[in-house]
Amino acid sequence: MSEFRLAFPACVIAGKHRLAADDIGLLRRHSFPDGVRTADDVVVILALNNSCPEKCPEWNSFFVEQLAGFIVNYSYPQGSLDEINVAWIMRMFATGGVVNSALELELVLHIMEISAHVPDDLRAFALDQLRVAITDDVGGYKVSRAVDRKGVTRQDVDFVMRVLRNICEGGVLPVSLLTYNVLHRIEAATLPAANHPRWSDILQALELREYVEPRTSRWLRIVDDEQAVA
């Protein structure tokens, strides 16, 4: 068992049923005076998120901003992502390729928004959350989806464009084969007559391109999901 122990005030907050705004103030002053900056800080914030069933809106913002900032700006490569970061993100926040909660999906999306480079594996993974919501009725996106239907809604269109917006080039959406295939699997799972009109615009704007992602060999400098908190 890991020797890691939660210090005050995290050890007290972890035993509560609901994370409140006052708790976040304590954490900012005592546990994270400089924000989430180390692997141990990541252990603490994940432990708190998993141990408290109810969270206030302030916690959601704190969790997303702090953890995304650490992953992008305080892990190699600083300011960006690579395939090792992406593999860790998928392992930590998804089960069988499905993101576990709406909060964790928001974290993934914010990571993509603040990163200078997003590997296509992560982009396709995010888009696939719409597919599993439609076909399997599961996942963090399904929870936040306003309408439970087998067609692409306006909310779904906005979600897709949030994922793709950073690669849009003058009305063209250049995508790799991986992302292209995910979008067409979504199309195959729906009835064209049930889809929002902007969905067909997105499909028509796709331009298949060949991407070569840089590969590196290194140790990931963020906490592994097998590290237990006792």
Side-chain angles (χ1 to χ4, degrees):
M1 182 174 291
S2 171
E3 293 299 319
F4 188 88
R5 297 291 187 276
L6 292 176
F8 178 84
C11 60
V12 176
I13 295 171
K16 299 179 64 175
H17 184 78
R18 185 178 191 274
L19 272 164
D22 289 345
D23 298 323
I24 298 167
L26 285 172
L27 291 169
R28 287 186 185 276
R29 289 193 298 274
H30 299 285
S31 299
F32 310 114
D34 300 316
V36 173
R37 295 292 182 268
T38 69
D40 284 350
D41 289 343
V42 174
V43 172
V44 173
I45 198 169
L46 290 177
L48 291 170
N49 190 61
N50 292 331
S51 64
C52 301
E54 295 183 13
K55 291 103 172 170
C56 62
E58 291 86 355
W59 169 260
N60 294 344
S61 299
F62 178 76
F63 177 84
V64 168
E65 292 170 6
Q66 290 295 326
L67 198 48
F70 174 81
I71 292 169
V72 175
N73 298 317
Y74 292 91
S75 301
Y76 181 90
Q78 281 78 16
S80 189
L81 297 170
D82 65 9
E83 77 283 356
I84 300 177
N85 300 92
V86 170
W88 183 87
I89 290 166
M90 292 180 181
R91 190 171 76 253
M92 284 296 297
F93 304 111
T95 302
V98 180
V99 177
N100 300 310
S101 71
L103 177 59
E104 289 166 323
L105 179 58
E106 182 61 29
L107 169 63
V108 172
L109 295 173
H110 192 55
I111 288 169
M112 296 172 65
E113 288 171 339
I114 67 173
S115 175
H117 169 71
V118 178
D120 200 59
D121 284 1
L122 187 60
R123 189 175 292 112
F125 168 76
L127 290 170
D128 202 46
Q129 304 312 304
L130 170 57
R131 182 191 64 81
V132 298
I134 293 173
T135 61
D136 302 335
D137 200 33
V138 296
Y141 185 67
K142 184 264 178 186
V143 174
S144 62
R145 205 166 177 239
V147 179
D148 186 12
R149 54 181 284 190
K150 299 297 183 182
V152 176
T153 67
R154 174 57 189 266
Q155 179 186 1
D156 300 333
V157 167
D158 290 343
F159 171 77
V160 170
M161 286 310 302
R162 185 177 178 187
V163 175
L164 299 178
R165 188 166 286 114
N166 287 343
I167 63 170
C168 186
E169 298 178 357
V172 174
L173 293 170
V175 296
S176 73
L177 182 60
L178 184 61
T179 295
Y180 183 90
N181 286 341
V182 170
L183 290 166
H184 280 276
R185 283 198 293 271
I186 295 170
E187 168 72 3
T190 61
L191 295 173
N195 293 335
H196 191 277
R198 284 191 61 202
W199 172 244
S200 61
D201 295 339
I202 291 174
L203 295 181
Q204 291 171 15
L206 297 179
E207 183 177 290
L208 191 58
R209 293 188 186 175
E210 196 170 322
Y211 285 78
V212 179
E213 300 291 355
R215 299 189 63 83
T216 59
S217 178
R218 62 176 177 82
W219 291 102
L220 188 63
R221 300 194 185 107
I222 47 184
V223 64
D224 190 88
D225 63 340
E226 294 180 355
Q227 184 171 1
V229 179

